[in-house]
Amino acid sequence: MPGTREIHAYYGHGKGKTTAAVGQAVRAAGSGLKVLVYQFLKDNSSGEREILGSVPGIMCLPGKEHVKFLSRMDAAEKAELKKENEKKLDEIGKLCGSFDMVILDEVLCAVNAGMLSLADVLRTVREKAPNTELVLTGRGAPEELIALADYVSVIEARKHPFADGARTAAREGVEY
């Protein structure tokens, strides 16, 4: 794919941000592009990783084997996770030029939760290799990032079983 690659942001409170990014990865790999995927705030057990890792052309950068919900972490665990996230973002920045597409899943959630600095993410976006398409997902997108992005998709929840209490447990293969 000739020319400068662009920046995508999929964000909002609706279901489907990761699903959209995974679809983008499959589309890119199906067209012969090399894709790197990293999931912030998630461990290596998410359902999409199983299939993505088996698709030729897609590499899932490994994260921690087990990641607790932030609400269940103490201050020391959060500090360790933040340090690890910063290290991964730096590693991804160095690898970026070797891939046609890089997906930073839940990177915006990591920023919003204080587990990654916005300045570091913006630096990564600004310094990305020109031959790399960059996809970022998460709940909220800061205005600085929206200004840099070429594609901005807001995923809005209109109705969800969790909201009205009809269901409280996430289902494997659907919500995770």
Side-chain angles (χ1 to χ4, degrees):
M1 198 159 84
T4 300
R5 301 285 173 81
E6 297 177 336
I7 299 161
H8 306 243
Y10 306 146
Y11 77 98
H13 290 280
K15 178 186 173 326
K17 299 171 292 291
T18 296
T19 305
V22 167
Q24 192 66 59
V26 170
R27 175 180 283 163
S31 296
L33 302 180
K34 286 177 55 182
V35 181
L36 176 67
V37 177
Y38 185 71
Q39 295 182 300
F40 291 91
L41 307 180
K42 293 180 179 178
D43 57 32
N44 297 325
S45 67
S46 66
E48 59 272 11
R49 286 186 65 91
E50 284 296 314
I51 197 71
L52 284 176
S54 71
V55 175
I58 298 179
M59 178 183 148
C60 293
L61 190 63
K64 289 180 70 155
E65 282 307 310
H66 180 70
V67 178
K68 290 186 204 177
F69 286 112
L70 289 173
S71 61
R72 295 184 180 162
M73 289 184 187
D74 62 28
E77 290 170 318
K78 287 180 181 178
E80 180 185 330
L81 180 61
K82 182 175 182 183
K83 213 180 252 188
E84 196 167 307
N85 285 341
E86 290 167 348
K87 184 178 171 184
K88 282 294 183 184
L89 187 65
D90 186 52
E91 181 182 346
I92 291 163
K94 291 174 183 165
L95 289 171
C96 209
S98 301
F99 291 88
D100 300 299
M101 179 175 287
V102 172
I103 295 176
L104 303 178
D105 187 38
E106 301 294 359
V107 69
L108 302 175
C109 289
V111 168
N112 294 331
M115 296 293 105
L116 202 53
S117 81
L118 175 58
D120 287 345
V121 172
L122 291 172
R123 180 177 34 75
T124 299
V125 169
R126 287 186 181 110
E127 295 175 3
K128 78 166 187 69
N131 66 314
T132 302
E133 198 89 5
L134 187 59
V135 179
L136 302 100
T137 74
R139 285 204 166 230
E143 287 301 319
E144 300 95 327
L145 180 64
I146 290 172
L148 291 173
D150 302 288
Y151 297 86
V152 176
S153 296
V154 181
I155 312 295
E156 177 186 337
R158 291 280 181 103
K159 186 176 180 182
H160 196 292
F162 292 173
D164 63 7
R167 191 164 39 80
T168 57
R171 297 172 299 152
E172 185 174 359
V174 178
E175 282 92 19
Y176 71 95

